[in-house]
Amino acid sequence: MAFPAKKFITSSFFGFTLLVALVAFLLKFNSSQKLFTVEELALYNGTGDSLPILLGILGSVFDVTKGKSHYGAGGGYNHFAGRDASRAFVSGNFTVRSKQRKRIRDGLTDALRGLSSTEVHSVVGWRDFYFRSYKFVGRLVGRYYDSQGNPTKYLKGAEAKAARGAQLMEKQKEMEAKQPSCNSRWSQDDGGEVWCDNGFPRLVQRPLEIALTGKMSKRCACYNEDQLGQPGLEVYSGCDYLAKRCRV
């Protein structure tokens, strides 16, 4: 049976059209995956009116020009423009190391060493915010992406640590939900107060906090009278053993 010429032409045209569309998509995709060096990214720091404003976080680069009032020269977030200052998103340290003042730790850096799992989780959260809110324009070659734009072990390590932080936070939330938290209030005139509608206020250590933040902390929880003999429960200083309200 002869193959109909019209059907062959139509099929070929459709295949060619699909190929052109695919090539166009790939070209567009690749053009949005620009690789920046540190020096190139520094040019987009908000000081040039003819250039967009870019910032990096965990090696991902975003166009934040629409937020020029914040990221442009004189803006409150201008210190993030033209660089990857991932650490500063959680540290609040916006210092820059200088040769003359080596003792100052560089705050505007992409290094996350020493941050807790919850802090790294917060940095990843900020990166996700920029993906949702601004245009992704490429990757920064260096700590988190190699010269081919592939993720490095540092990025994979940061994302794994952030995932552990999220799991620990959820586990801690589940643990603490089993023991109700105290009510609390504070005012400049009267100071602080904690109380329980049912039960008695006690200070108790948060066992996962060291893994989460690198330090131990306590919270106020409400316990029934038959639970007060448990180890690790601390009566507030100056508060009666069976008081339902305590000054703090």
Side-chain angles (χ1 to χ4, degrees):
M1 176 184 289
F3 191 83
K6 183 177 181 181
K7 183 175 181 180
F8 175 79
I9 293 172
T10 302
S11 177
S12 299
F13 178 77
F14 175 78
F16 177 76
T17 303
L18 185 61
L19 178 62
V20 170
L22 179 60
V23 170
F25 172 80
L26 291 175
L27 287 173
K28 181 179 180 181
F29 179 80
N30 288 333
S31 67
S32 69
Q33 305 296 299
K34 176 176 172 58
L35 296 179
F36 295 85
T37 64
V38 171
E39 293 75 19
E40 287 173 331
L41 184 59
L43 299 175
Y44 302 92
N45 62 2
T47 59
D49 292 335
S50 61
L51 294 176
I53 304 172
L54 307 182
L55 67 75
I57 179 168
L58 294 177
S60 293
V61 181
F62 300 91
D63 185 335
V64 295
T65 309
K66 70 178 183 179
K68 186 175 182 178
S69 60
H70 302 295
Y71 296 99
Y77 302 139
N78 177 247
H79 37 254
F80 290 117
R83 56 162 57 95
D84 186 331
S86 296
R87 188 184 193 88
F89 279 93
V90 294
S91 71
N93 178 1
F94 306 124
T95 59
V96 178
R97 188 191 302 272
S98 66
K99 293 181 180 179
Q100 293 75 25
R101 304 182 69 185
K102 293 183 179 180
R103 67 181 182 276
I104 294 179
R105 187 170 189 174
D106 189 354
L108 294 174
T109 175
D110 62 354
L112 304 182
R113 173 175 289 192
L115 294 184
S116 69
S117 59
T118 50
E119 289 173 321
V120 176
H121 175 64
S122 181
V123 175
V124 171
W126 275 109
R127 183 192 62 178
D128 295 344
F129 161 79
Y130 282 98
F131 269 115
R132 294 191 305 269
S133 306
Y134 293 94
K135 182 180 179 181
F136 170 69
V137 295
R139 298 185 173 98
L140 178 63
V141 175
R143 189 182 302 274
Y144 298 107
Y145 290 96
D146 64 21
S147 59
Q148 303 300 312
N150 299 312
T152 65
K153 64 179 183 179
Y154 296 101
L155 179 59
K156 295 174 182 177
E159 291 178 334
K161 190 171 185 177
R164 289 195 300 272
Q167 292 172 350
L168 287 170
M169 288 170 65
E170 188 60 32
K171 185 175 181 180
Q172 179 163 279
K173 186 186 300 183
E174 291 174 358
M175 290 173 60
E176 295 182 356
K178 298 176 182 178
Q179 202 65 48
S181 295
C182 304
N183 302 304
S184 64
R185 64 183 170 201
W186 182 91
S187 70
Q188 189 170 359
D189 295 331
D190 301 326
E193 182 181 35
V194 295
W195 73 95
C196 296
D197 295 325
N198 296 295
F200 307 91
R202 290 293 187 270
L203 276 171
V204 60
Q205 290 184 341
R206 308 177 79 182
L208 296 180
E209 199 68 8
I210 289 181
L212 284 167
T213 67
K215 55 187 177 182
M216 180 62 77
S217 69
K218 299 177 181 180
R219 74 180 185 106
C220 182
C222 296
Y223 289 84
N224 296 325
E225 187 171 357
D226 61 357
Q227 297 176 302
L228 297 181
Q230 295 180 22
L233 303 188
E234 181 181 340
V235 180
Y236 277 91
S237 177
C239 193
D240 292 338
Y241 186 79
L242 292 179
K244 290 195 171 186
R245 289 177 177 268
C246 297
R247 308 292 302 179
V248 295

